[in-house]
Amino acid sequence: MLVNIIHPYIYKLKGNELIIGPIQEFTERDQKVSDFVKTALDNEIQIFNYDRVDLDRPLGAIMHATALIADPLYSFIKDKRINIVMATGYGLILPEEKPDEISDENWNYLCEIYSNWPDLRSKIQNSSPALFIGGALEACLANAAINFSRQFDDNRQQIFYVPELCVSVDSDFLEKEALPKLEERGINPLSYEEALSLIQTSTCN
């Protein structure tokens, strides 16, 4: 099994403001995220951190990392056992083949910055079950989970998201658009307790 953390910097947002360090009102959620990820690491579960990289905001990734590591609950983000995935602002990575509308020069440039599916597939030891946390649930996380389901499309694949460990910024869009699309792809919610039990008992490292 594996855990995918989509754009973890979103845990450090309060409205549109990026907060450096702990956010008191989110302490309960952040403690759960911390306990969950550390338990996964202790159980040798593969973890992939989808970092956000914006070509027009090169310092953004540095600010995101600063906000996280200034909070002791997110100290796990520095753990070398966590695999880094360089993703777009939409939670996506590069496809296997170059789109026709992108020149060879631009494609080669993008390949130097962003992760791609052939490389990611080669690192994944066991794709099922796959758990998604982070955010935004209705946007980047949904995109990443749906894209993941297309890459590992078989009847045995199990993909879940954990709402208690996710961030949502648009509840209306979440209910009307994102959740039906996730359900259509067979991507289902798990409670925190169910997800924690799954990683504690998993033998699919």
Side-chain angles (χ1 to χ4, degrees), residues 18-97:
L18 183 69
I19 304 298
I20 306 298
I23 305 176
Q24 186 173 0
E25 66 187 88
F26 297 143
T27 298
E28 182 178 356
R29 179 206 64 194
D30 293 343
Q31 185 66 63
K32 285 184 175 182
V33 172
S34 182
D35 291 345
F36 183 79
V37 174
K38 290 178 181 178
T39 300
L41 287 169
D42 289 344
N43 284 272
E44 300 182 346
I45 304 298
Q46 270 197 305
I47 300 178
F48 291 86
N49 168 17
Y50 282 59
D51 265 352
R52 175 173 178 167
V53 181
D54 295 310
L55 297 180
D56 59 341
R57 296 179 64 244
L59 294 180
I62 296 174
M63 294 303 299
H64 295 162
T66 301
L68 286 164
I69 63 178
D71 185 341
L73 290 177
Y74 286 92
S75 61
F76 64 78
I77 209 69
K78 299 179 290 183
D79 196 297
K80 299 299 184 183
R81 292 171 292 178
I82 296 178
N83 299 275
I84 304 299
V85 178
M86 308 307 287
T88 70
Y90 298 99
L92 301 175
I93 63 176
L94 298 182
E96 191 159 354
E97 297 182 1

Side-chain angles (χ1 to χ4, degrees), residues 116-127:
N116 60 72
W117 271 109
D119 181 54
L120 184 55
R121 276 199 299 266
S122 73
K123 295 177 180 177
I124 292 175
Q125 298 169 7
N126 194 319
S127 65

